Amino acid sequence: MAKKGFKAENPNKRIAERTATEETKTPEPIKETEKAAVEDTELPKKEPGKRGRPKVSNKKKQYTLTMNPDLYKTLSELAKENYKSFSQLVTDACIEYIKKQ
């Protein structure tokens, strides 16, 4: 059997009341021994200016290439057959062309 008034009461109301009382509680002051323990476990500070991803010395630059759609389709299929990216295929073709010169 269902409890009387069970569905009539909104369960979210009780949750909201419970979290409201938890948020209004004042935190207890930190004891001196706890402060010392927290200070010992702090992460080492990084040097200023050493943030983010490290710089790569031989960084590639991105370019836009305009070509016939049929040629692009042929080169894309050729790249898939050779398990290469389109970019790697074009790079290899350019290097091979330069070597022949």
Side-chain angles (χ1 to χ4, degrees):
M1 283 199 140
K3 296 180 183 179
K4 287 185 179 180
F6 180 72
K7 289 188 177 181
E9 187 178 335
N10 186 351
N12 293 331
K13 182 180 175 184
R14 285 184 279 152
I15 293 170
E17 289 172 357
R18 185 173 56 220
T19 55
T21 56
E22 290 174 357
E23 291 173 358
T24 56
K25 291 180 182 177
T26 56
E28 296 180 16
I30 299 175
K31 298 175 185 174
E32 290 298 321
T33 56
E34 291 176 359
K35 283 183 184 178
V38 170
E39 290 172 0
D40 291 342
T41 59
E42 286 185 20
L43 296 173
K45 295 188 179 187
K46 292 184 177 180
E47 296 178 31
K50 297 279 184 176
R51 297 173 51 193
R53 181 179 273 183
K55 303 249 186 233
V56 178
S57 62
N58 192 12
K59 186 176 180 182
K60 294 180 181 180
K61 191 170 179 186
Q62 185 174 358
Y63 297 97
T64 302
L65 183 63
T66 305
M67 66 174 55
N68 184 314
D70 294 333
L71 178 60
Y72 176 78
K73 183 178 177 183
T74 304
L75 291 175
S76 292
E77 290 171 358
L78 187 61
K80 286 181 184 178
E81 289 172 8
N82 293 317
Y83 302 103
K84 293 182 179 182
S85 67
F86 180 81
S87 175
Q88 187 61 48
L89 183 77
V90 171
T91 302
D92 291 347
C94 291
I95 291 171
E96 188 175 322
Y97 177 79
I98 291 169
K99 285 181 181 179
K100 286 182 180 180
Q101 295 299 318

